[in-house]
Amino acid sequence: MKQALIKGPKSDEYYTPMEVVEQIFEYYKPEGKILLPWDQDWSNFYKYCCEHNFDCEHNIRDFMTADYDFDWIISNPPYTEKDAIIDRCIELGKPTVLVLPIESLGGIKRHASYRKTKLNIFIPERRIGFICEDGKRRVGANHSIYLGLNFDEQKIVLE
């Protein structure tokens, strides 16, 4: 049985399909060591890194408080923790790509955080069919984006 790294009263445990992982790596072209904080052995991000010989670290339980040696962060984080995660990623200053609902762009607090970095946003044309804990695909109610933080230039790309 898969065990989520973060659980609350309502699980937001949805897994990223391989085609999304491939699209992220193709668009962003990360180099160096990749941190996959919320990914475990069955994660498509972790599988992709292993299959393509990326140096990566995954299954991290203390991301919010510990320091790690890495060049990139790439993951589909728990949505219920997104504000704290966005702030932590900006604080770390390394290129970061997070799969998040498009609504993650708005909000007074988030705008204050986004002003501290340069965003590189990729907007997929279609909603993502995330994989539920039971293995079934679920097309979410929200449209998702790939939110890039800490990039050299700010840009938005439509698929």
Coordinates of all heavy atoms in Angstrom, one line a residue, residues 41-88:
D41 N 9.3 5.8 -4.2 CA 9.8 4.9 -5.3 C 8.9 4.7 -6.4 O 9.3 4.5 -7.6 CB 10.2 3.5 -4.7 CG 11.3 3.6 -3.7 OD1 12.1 4.6 -3.7 OD2 11.5 2.6 -3.0
W42 N 7.6 4.7 -6.2 CA 6.6 4.5 -7.3 C 6.3 5.8 -8.1 O 5.6 5.8 -9.1 CB 5.3 3.9 -6.7 CG 4.6 4.9 -5.8 CD1 3.8 5.9 -6.1 CD2 4.7 4.9 -4.4 NE1 3.3 6.6 -5.0 CE2 3.9 5.9 -3.9 CE3 5.3 4.1 -3.4 CZ2 3.7 6.2 -2.6 CZ3 5.1 4.3 -2.1 CH2 4.3 5.4 -1.7
S43 N 6.8 6.9 -7.7 CA 6.6 8.2 -8.3 C 7.1 8.2 -9.8 O 8.2 7.7 -10.0 CB 7.2 9.3 -7.6 OG 7.4 10.4 -8.3
N44 N 6.4 8.7 -10.7 CA 6.9 8.8 -12.1 C 8.0 9.8 -12.2 O 8.9 9.6 -13.0 CB 5.7 9.2 -13.0 CG 4.8 8.0 -13.3 OD1 5.3 6.9 -13.3 ND2 3.6 8.2 -13.5
F45 N 8.1 10.8 -11.3 CA 9.3 11.7 -11.3 C 10.5 10.9 -11.0 O 11.5 11.0 -11.6 CB 9.1 12.8 -10.3 CG 8.2 13.9 -10.8 CD1 6.9 14.1 -10.3 CD2 8.6 14.8 -11.8 CE1 6.1 15.1 -10.7 CE2 7.7 15.8 -12.3 CZ 6.5 16.0 -11.7
Y46 N 10.4 10.1 -9.9 CA 11.6 9.3 -9.5 C 11.9 8.2 -10.6 O 13.1 8.0 -10.9 CB 11.3 8.6 -8.2 CG 12.4 7.7 -7.7 CD1 13.6 8.3 -7.3 CD2 12.3 6.3 -7.7 CE1 14.7 7.5 -6.9 CE2 13.4 5.6 -7.2 CZ 14.5 6.1 -6.9 OH 15.6 5.4 -6.5
K47 N 10.9 7.6 -11.1 CA 11.2 6.6 -12.2 C 11.8 7.2 -13.4 O 12.8 6.6 -13.9 CB 9.9 5.9 -12.6 CG 9.3 5.0 -11.6 CD 7.9 4.4 -12.1 CE 7.2 3.6 -11.0 NZ 5.9 3.1 -11.5
Y48 N 11.4 8.4 -13.8 CA 12.0 9.1 -14.9 C 13.4 9.4 -14.7 O 14.3 9.2 -15.5 CB 11.2 10.3 -15.2 CG 11.7 11.1 -16.5 CD1 11.1 10.8 -17.7 CD2 12.7 12.0 -16.4 CE1 11.5 11.4 -18.8 CE2 13.2 12.6 -17.5 CZ 12.6 12.4 -18.8 OH 13.0 13.0 -19.9
C49 N 13.7 9.9 -13.5 CA 15.1 10.3 -13.1 C 16.0 9.0 -13.2 O 17.1 9.1 -13.7 CB 15.1 10.9 -11.8 SG 14.5 12.6 -11.8
C50 N 15.5 7.9 -12.6 CA 16.3 6.7 -12.7 C 16.5 6.2 -14.1 O 17.7 5.8 -14.5 CB 15.6 5.6 -11.8 SG 15.6 5.9 -10.1
E51 N 15.5 6.2 -14.9 CA 15.6 5.7 -16.3 C 16.5 6.6 -17.1 O 17.0 6.1 -18.1 CB 14.2 5.6 -16.9 CG 13.3 4.5 -16.3 CD 11.9 4.6 -16.7 OE1 11.5 5.4 -17.6 OE2 11.1 3.8 -16.2
H52 N 16.6 7.9 -16.8 CA 17.4 8.8 -17.6 C 18.7 9.2 -16.9 O 19.3 10.2 -17.3 CB 16.6 10.0 -18.0 CG 15.5 9.7 -18.9 ND1 14.2 9.2 -18.5 CD2 15.4 9.7 -20.3 CE1 13.5 8.9 -19.5 NE2 14.1 9.2 -20.6
N53 N 19.1 8.5 -15.9 CA 20.4 8.6 -15.2 C 20.5 10.0 -14.6 O 21.7 10.5 -14.6 CB 21.5 8.3 -16.1 CG 21.5 6.9 -16.6 OD1 21.3 6.0 -15.7 ND2 21.6 6.6 -17.8
F54 N 19.5 10.6 -14.1 CA 19.6 11.8 -13.3 C 20.0 11.5 -11.9 O 19.5 10.5 -11.3 CB 18.3 12.6 -13.3 CG 18.0 13.4 -14.5 CD1 17.1 12.8 -15.5 CD2 18.5 14.7 -14.7 CE1 16.8 13.6 -16.6 CE2 18.2 15.4 -15.9 CZ 17.4 14.8 -16.8
D55 N 20.8 12.3 -11.3 CA 21.2 12.2 -9.9 C 20.0 12.8 -9.1 O 19.7 14.0 -9.4 CB 22.5 12.9 -9.6 CG 22.9 12.8 -8.2 OD1 22.4 12.0 -7.4 OD2 23.8 13.6 -7.8
C56 N 19.4 12.1 -8.3 CA 18.2 12.7 -7.6 C 18.1 12.1 -6.1 O 18.7 11.1 -5.8 CB 16.9 12.4 -8.3 SG 16.4 10.7 -8.3
E57 N 17.4 12.9 -5.3 CA 17.1 12.5 -4.0 C 15.6 12.6 -3.8 O 15.0 13.6 -4.2 CB 17.9 13.3 -3.0 CG 17.8 12.8 -1.6 CD 18.8 13.6 -0.6 OE1 19.7 14.3 -1.1 OE2 18.6 13.4 0.6
H58 N 15.0 11.6 -3.2 CA 13.6 11.5 -3.0 C 13.2 11.0 -1.7 O 14.0 10.7 -0.8 CB 13.0 10.6 -4.1 CG 13.2 9.2 -3.9 ND1 14.4 8.6 -3.9 CD2 12.3 8.2 -3.7 CE1 14.3 7.3 -3.7 NE2 13.1 7.0 -3.6
N59 N 11.9 11.0 -1.4 CA 11.3 10.5 -0.2 C 11.8 11.3 1.0 O 12.3 10.8 2.0 CB 11.6 9.0 0.0 CG 10.8 8.3 1.0 OD1 9.7 8.8 1.4 ND2 11.2 7.2 1.5
I60 N 11.7 12.6 0.9 CA 12.2 13.5 1.9 C 11.1 13.9 2.9 O 10.1 14.4 2.5 CB 12.8 14.8 1.3 CG1 14.0 14.3 0.4 CG2 13.2 15.8 2.3 CD1 14.6 15.3 -0.5
R61 N 11.3 13.8 4.2 CA 10.3 14.1 5.1 C 10.5 15.4 5.9 O 9.7 15.9 6.6 CB 10.1 12.9 6.1 CG 9.7 11.7 5.4 CD 9.3 10.6 6.4 NE 8.9 9.4 5.6 CZ 7.6 9.2 5.3 NH1 6.7 10.0 5.5 NH2 7.3 8.1 4.6
D62 N 11.7 15.9 5.7 CA 12.0 17.2 6.5 C 12.4 18.3 5.5 O 13.2 19.2 5.9 CB 13.2 16.9 7.5 CG 14.4 16.4 6.8 OD1 14.5 16.2 5.6 OD2 15.4 16.2 7.6
F63 N 11.9 18.4 4.3 CA 12.2 19.4 3.3 C 12.0 20.8 3.9 O 12.8 21.7 3.5 CB 11.3 19.2 2.1 CG 11.4 20.3 1.1 CD1 12.5 20.4 0.3 CD2 10.4 21.3 1.0 CE1 12.6 21.5 -0.6 CE2 10.5 22.3 0.1 CZ 11.6 22.4 -0.7
M64 N 11.0 21.0 4.7 CA 10.7 22.4 5.1 C 11.7 22.9 6.1 O 11.8 24.1 6.4 CB 9.3 22.4 5.7 CG 8.2 22.0 4.7 SD 8.2 23.1 3.2 CE 7.5 24.5 3.9
T65 N 12.5 22.0 6.7 CA 13.4 22.5 7.8 C 14.9 22.1 7.6 O 15.7 22.7 8.2 CB 13.0 21.9 9.2 OG1 12.9 20.4 9.0 CG2 11.6 22.4 9.6
A66 N 15.1 21.1 6.8 CA 16.5 20.7 6.6 C 17.1 21.2 5.3 O 16.4 21.7 4.4 CB 16.6 19.1 6.5
D67 N 18.5 21.2 5.3 CA 19.2 21.7 4.1 C 19.7 20.5 3.3 O 20.1 19.5 3.9 CB 20.4 22.6 4.5 CG 19.9 23.9 5.1 OD1 18.9 24.4 4.6 OD2 20.6 24.4 6.0
Y68 N 19.6 20.6 2.0 CA 20.1 19.6 1.1 C 21.0 20.2 0.0 O 20.8 21.4 -0.3 CB 18.9 18.9 0.4 CG 18.1 18.1 1.4 CD1 17.0 18.6 2.1 CD2 18.3 16.7 1.5 CE1 16.3 17.9 3.0 CE2 17.6 16.0 2.4 CZ 16.6 16.6 3.2 OH 15.9 15.8 4.1
D69 N 21.8 19.4 -0.6 CA 22.7 19.8 -1.7 C 22.0 19.3 -3.0 O 21.8 18.1 -3.2 CB 24.1 19.1 -1.5 CG 25.0 19.5 -2.6 OD1 24.9 20.6 -3.1 OD2 25.9 18.6 -3.0
F70 N 21.6 20.3 -3.8 CA 20.9 20.0 -5.0 C 21.0 21.2 -6.0 O 21.4 22.3 -5.6 CB 19.4 19.7 -4.7 CG 18.6 20.8 -4.2 CD1 17.9 21.7 -5.0 CD2 18.7 21.1 -2.8 CE1 17.2 22.7 -4.5 CE2 18.0 22.2 -2.3 CZ 17.2 23.0 -3.2
D71 N 20.6 20.9 -7.2 CA 20.6 22.0 -8.2 C 19.2 22.4 -8.7 O 18.9 23.5 -9.1 CB 21.4 21.5 -9.5 CG 22.8 21.2 -9.1 OD1 23.5 22.1 -8.7 OD2 23.2 20.0 -9.2
W72 N 18.2 21.4 -8.6 CA 16.8 21.7 -9.0 C 15.9 21.0 -8.0 O 16.2 20.0 -7.4 CB 16.6 21.0 -10.4 CG 17.1 21.8 -11.5 CD1 18.4 21.9 -11.9 CD2 16.3 22.5 -12.5 NE1 18.4 22.7 -13.1 CE2 17.2 23.0 -13.4 CE3 14.9 22.7 -12.6 CZ2 16.7 23.8 -14.5 CZ3 14.5 23.5 -13.7 CH2 15.4 24.0 -14.6
I73 N 14.7 21.5 -7.9 CA 13.5 20.9 -7.3 C 12.5 20.7 -8.3 O 12.1 21.6 -9.0 CB 12.9 21.7 -6.1 CG1 14.0 22.0 -5.0 CG2 11.7 21.0 -5.5 CD1 13.5 23.0 -4.0
I74 N 12.0 19.5 -8.4 CA 10.9 19.2 -9.4 C 9.9 18.2 -8.7 O 10.3 17.2 -8.2 CB 11.4 18.5 -10.7 CG1 12.4 19.5 -11.4 CG2 10.2 18.2 -11.6 CD1 13.0 18.9 -12.7
S75 N 8.6 18.6 -8.6 CA 7.7 17.7 -8.0 C 6.2 18.2 -8.1 O 6.0 19.3 -8.6 CB 8.0 17.5 -6.5 OG 7.4 16.4 -6.0
N76 N 5.3 17.3 -7.8 CA 3.9 17.6 -7.6 C 3.7 17.6 -6.1 O 3.5 16.6 -5.5 CB 3.1 16.5 -8.3 CG 1.6 16.6 -8.1 OD1 1.2 17.6 -7.5 ND2 0.9 15.7 -8.7
P77 N 3.8 18.8 -5.5 CA 3.7 18.8 -4.0 C 2.2 18.7 -3.5 O 1.3 18.8 -4.3 CB 4.2 20.2 -3.7 CG 3.8 21.0 -4.9 CD 3.9 20.1 -6.1
P78 N 2.1 18.4 -2.2 CA 0.7 18.4 -1.6 C 0.1 19.8 -1.8 O 0.6 20.8 -1.3 CB 0.9 18.1 -0.2 CG 2.4 17.6 -0.1 CD 3.1 18.2 -1.2
Y79 N -1.1 19.9 -2.4 CA -1.7 21.2 -2.7 C -2.1 21.9 -1.4 O -2.0 23.1 -1.3 CB -2.9 21.0 -3.5 CG -2.7 20.6 -4.9 CD1 -3.8 20.3 -5.8 CD2 -1.4 20.5 -5.5 CE1 -3.5 20.0 -7.1 CE2 -1.2 20.1 -6.8 CZ -2.3 19.8 -7.6 OH -2.1 19.4 -8.9
T80 N -2.4 21.1 -0.4 CA -2.8 21.8 0.9 C -1.7 22.5 1.6 O -1.9 23.3 2.5 CB -3.4 20.7 1.9 OG1 -2.5 19.7 2.1 CG2 -4.7 20.2 1.3
E81 N -0.5 22.2 1.2 CA 0.7 22.8 1.8 C 1.4 23.8 0.8 O 2.5 24.2 1.1 CB 1.7 21.7 2.2 CG 1.2 20.7 3.1 CD 0.9 21.2 4.5 OE1 1.6 22.1 5.0 OE2 -0.1 20.7 5.1
K82 N 0.7 24.1 -0.3 CA 1.4 24.9 -1.4 C 2.0 26.2 -1.0 O 3.1 26.5 -1.4 CB 0.5 25.0 -2.6 CG -0.7 25.9 -2.5 CD -1.5 25.8 -3.7 CE -2.9 26.4 -3.6 NZ -3.8 25.6 -2.7
D83 N 1.4 27.0 -0.1 CA 1.9 28.3 0.2 C 3.2 28.2 0.9 O 4.2 28.9 0.6 CB 0.9 29.1 1.0 CG -0.3 29.5 0.2 OD1 -0.2 29.7 -1.0 OD2 -1.4 29.7 0.8
A84 N 3.3 27.3 1.9 CA 4.5 27.1 2.7 C 5.6 26.5 1.8 O 6.8 26.9 1.8 CB 4.3 26.2 3.9
I85 N 5.2 25.6 0.9 CA 6.2 25.0 0.0 C 6.7 26.0 -1.0 O 7.9 26.1 -1.3 CB 5.5 23.8 -0.8 CG1 5.3 22.7 0.2 CG2 6.4 23.4 -2.0 CD1 4.4 21.6 -0.2
I86 N 5.9 26.9 -1.6 CA 6.3 27.9 -2.5 C 7.3 28.8 -1.8 O 8.4 29.1 -2.4 CB 5.1 28.7 -3.1 CG1 4.3 27.8 -4.1 CG2 5.5 30.0 -3.7 CD1 2.9 28.4 -4.4
D87 N 7.0 29.3 -0.6 CA 7.9 30.2 0.1 C 9.2 29.5 0.4 O 10.3 30.1 0.2 CB 7.2 30.6 1.4 CG 6.1 31.6 1.3 OD1 6.1 32.2 0.2 OD2 5.3 31.8 2.2
R88 N 9.2 28.2 0.8 CA 10.4 27.5 1.0 C 11.3 27.4 -0.2 O 12.5 27.6 -0.2 CB 10.1 26.1 1.6 CG 11.3 25.2 1.8 CD 12.2 25.7 3.0 NE 13.2 24.7 3.3 CZ 14.4 24.9 3.7 NH1 14.8 26.2 4.0 NH2 15.3 24.0 3.9

